[in-house]
Amino acid sequence: MKIQQLHTLFLECHSASTDTRKIKGNDMFFALKGDNFNGNTYAAQAINLGAKYVIIDEPAYYKNSQTILVDNVLETLQELASFHRTFLNIPIIALTGSNGKTTTKELINATLSKKYKTTATVGNLNNHIGVPLTLLFMDKNTEIGIVEMGANHLKEIAFLCQMAKPDYGYITNFGKAHLEGFGGVEGVIKGKSEMYDYLMEHNKTIFVNTNDPIQLEKTKKTTTFTFGNKDQTPDVCVNFNEAQPFVICSYNDLSIKSQLIGDYNFSNIAAAIAIANYFKVDDKSIKQAIENYIPANNRSQIIQKNSNKIILDAYNANPTSMAAALHNFEKQTENKVAIIGDMFELGIEAKQEHQYIVDLANSLKINKLIFIGENFFQTKMDSDKISKYKSFSDFKEAFKPSSIENYTLLIKGSRGMALERVLDLI
């Protein structure tokens, strides 16, 4: 079956699905394979659950005319998504970066949806499976698509751009994330900049933060729309006022009081303001969208539990975001406890980067420091305010709830550490 024929069938469906637990009536189910599962084995179940068509790549699981056999389900999913994107022919904004991608995407979606029917990446479906699913979630009612792109190795962003064909792009920053896959910080810059390469090659527009010299240098010969401080003469001026703890900024004589903590979130807010301005969203709506956005999913959440105020930032971590979070946490006025988990995917840099974070944290005005994970356990520490545990279970066994009362807590670590489990102990 040619991809155009398959797309005709897809237009009969409600949406695309890769998980039988989430199938809605009339979905097109893609039987993907992983290291520990074979989606083909769920083909019959998907039909029974209401899928209109099921895409498989093993003949043994063919059931009836609702079953469509292809050479490779993943490649078919990606090819169909690219065809669908061309078919819709709508403006698409792509964004990537080491830190702040999902928060920025949510803010962009919040501001643009004040004027347009938008479809944005759900959660962090930002890889070689998530991006095609995001594209297939778009329909004839979508006026602007917002696609988050994640990567942990070279050529991945280039591949995702070829599929999504963005008209606009934004890179949040270049930081110490996925160093193992990229081979170091220079590899990170090169890998993320593949988005710039695509946009410049196709004469598209890049949104640029004038406070970032790397972004300015890499985009000086192409079409840009800039934002930053007034002394840099950007296209849109957004000024940082304070973050005590919530970020407050000013734009077009408006004071915008966000519910995001940490001055590191200012650039995420500024990007959303600038992009909304570019798409002619009125200032009042922009202000309302930013001020009403409440972070969720373990990202910079403020939680009050018993006598403690908790800053839960346990969705993910790398050396750049960890350092920013610790510096911001030091500004808190109350008694402070930082509960920090290992940072993953750092490769040969892991030992050095974990030691750097320990030394940094110890130098800051934070009352107690608790480090959890094998990497932090192996670091050198010499301070009365520091304790370390090789695993979360070791920490849990030693933890006494009475030891954490009337504190402000920062909880941060890589996703695999699942440090949100600390909430159950407090």
Side-chain angles (χ1 to χ4, degrees):
M1 181 178 290
K2 294 185 181 297
I3 204 69
Q4 187 170 358
Q5 294 173 282
L6 183 61
H7 185 254
T8 300
L9 297 181
F10 174 72
L11 293 178
E12 300 175 11
C13 300
H14 172 266
S15 189
S17 175
T18 61
D19 188 339
T20 53
R21 295 168 297 182
K22 299 178 181 178
I23 285 180
K24 298 176 182 177
N26 291 326
D27 278 356
M28 180 173 279
F29 176 76
F30 291 83
L32 297 176
K33 295 175 182 174
D35 294 335
N36 302 309
F37 66 92
N38 181 354
N40 286 273
T41 63
Y42 295 95
Q45 182 183 356
I47 291 173
N48 291 336
L49 288 169
K52 190 175 184 68
Y53 298 104
V54 174
I55 313 302
I56 62 169
D57 52 16
E58 294 184 15
Y61 296 96
Y62 185 88
K63 184 177 181 181
N64 55 33
S65 59
Q66 290 178 268
T67 319
I68 299 169
L69 180 65
V70 299
D71 291 334
N72 182 292
V73 171
L74 176 58
E75 291 178 3
T76 299
L77 172 68
Q78 294 166 341
E79 190 178 350
L80 179 64
S82 185
F83 186 94
H84 185 60
R85 185 268 177 271
T86 302
F87 171 80
L88 291 176
N89 192 30
I90 57 174
I92 285 185
I93 304 165
L95 70 153
T96 189
S98 298
N99 304 303
K101 291 187 297 295
T102 301
T103 298
T104 305
K105 176 259 302 180
E106 294 290 331
L107 289 167
I108 293 171
N109 189 40
T111 53
L112 291 183
S113 63
K114 288 290 185 179
K115 182 175 181 179
Y116 302 94
K117 168 66 175 175
T118 61
T119 300
T121 299
V122 177
N124 70 322
L125 287 175
N126 61 18
N127 63 4
H128 64 295
I129 296 173
V131 168
L133 285 174
T134 297
L135 295 171
L136 291 174
F137 291 158
M138 299 175 190
D139 59 27
K140 63 182 180 180
N141 296 314
T142 304
E143 295 176 302
I144 297 178
I146 305 162
V147 181
E148 178 183 334
M149 297 181 179
N152 57 19
H153 58 266
L154 293 171
K155 303 298 183 184
E156 192 168 4
I157 295 297
F159 174 73
L160 296 177
C161 283
Q162 289 294 335
M163 189 193 314
K165 304 175 183 64
D167 303 286
Y168 306 90
Y170 173 60
I171 299 178
T172 59
N173 48 50
F174 303 100
K176 296 178 179 179
H178 305 295
L179 297 182
E180 185 174 23
F182 282 115
V185 175
E186 289 303 314
V188 172
I189 295 172
K190 183 178 180 181
K192 301 297 184 182
S193 295
E194 289 167 8
M195 180 176 290
Y196 288 158
D197 297 338
Y198 176 89
L199 294 165
M200 287 188 280
E201 180 184 347
H202 294 84
N203 298 313
K204 303 299 184 180
T205 300
I206 300 173
F207 297 109
V208 178
N209 181 357
T210 57
N211 293 318
D212 189 325
I214 301 176
Q215 291 191 36
L216 281 175
E217 176 64 25
K218 285 187 167 292
T219 59
K220 63 184 180 182
K221 295 181 179 180
T222 190
T223 304
T224 61
F225 186 82
T226 60
F227 64 92
N229 300 324
K230 61 182 179 182
D231 55 345
Q232 298 164 327
T233 62
D235 294 306
V236 173
C237 178
V238 187
N239 289 308
F240 174 73
N241 294 349
E242 61 176 276
Q244 298 293 341
F246 299 109
V247 176
I248 301 176
C249 60
S250 55
Y251 158 72
N252 281 1
D253 297 325
L254 291 174
S255 176
I256 298 179
K257 302 176 182 180
S258 79
Q259 299 185 61
L260 287 162
I261 62 167
D263 49 14
Y264 52 85
N265 264 314
F266 167 66
S267 60
N268 302 333
I269 295 168
I273 291 172
I275 292 170
N277 174 283
Y278 179 90
F279 283 97
K280 310 300 182 186
V281 180
D282 68 88
D283 292 350
K284 183 179 178 181
S285 294
I286 292 174
K287 173 181 167 70
Q288 186 180 58
I290 298 294
E291 293 189 338
N292 288 343
Y293 173 73
I294 300 174
N297 300 321
N298 303 322
R299 290 183 176 89
S300 300
Q301 289 180 258
I302 303 291
I303 299 170
Q304 190 70 38
K305 192 160 187 185
N306 300 322
S307 64
N308 300 299
K309 183 175 79 172
I310 300 166
I311 301 171
L312 181 62
D313 197 9
Y315 182 79
N316 221 332
N318 58 57
T320 304
S321 66
M322 187 72 82
L326 286 167
H327 278 298
N328 180 72
F329 187 55
E330 185 187 29
K331 298 174 184 176
Q332 300 290 316
T333 57
E334 302 87 351
N335 292 327
K336 300 181 283 283
V337 178
I339 302 177
I340 305 299
D342 272 1
M343 303 172 292
F344 296 161
E345 295 187 58
L346 296 179
I348 61 173
E349 305 289 336
K351 182 178 180 180
Q352 173 184 329
E353 295 295 346
H354 281 83
Q355 187 65 56
Y356 163 73
I357 292 298
V358 169
D359 295 340
L360 170 65
N362 192 38
S363 72
L364 300 175
K365 294 178 182 178
I366 300 173
N367 301 78
K368 293 182 182 181
L369 296 166
I370 299 170
F371 294 96
I372 305 172
E374 293 186 8
N375 286 299
F376 277 125
F377 191 76
Q378 295 171 19
T379 57
K380 296 177 182 178
M381 305 182 184
D382 184 20
S383 174
D384 293 338
K385 68 180 183 180
I386 291 177
S387 57
K388 60 181 180 178
Y389 302 91
K390 193 172 184 179
S391 66
F392 185 84
S393 59
D394 289 348
F395 165 72
K396 181 178 180 181
E397 186 175 334
F399 182 74
K400 294 181 176 60
S402 60
S403 66
I404 306 290
E405 292 182 352
N406 298 306
Y407 277 101
T408 296
L409 278 71
L410 169 67
I411 302 175
K412 188 168 180 65
S414 279
R415 182 82 302 267
M417 293 300 297
L419 285 191
E420 62 272 15
R421 293 178 289 175
V422 173
L423 297 179
D424 297 328
L425 308 180
I426 297 173

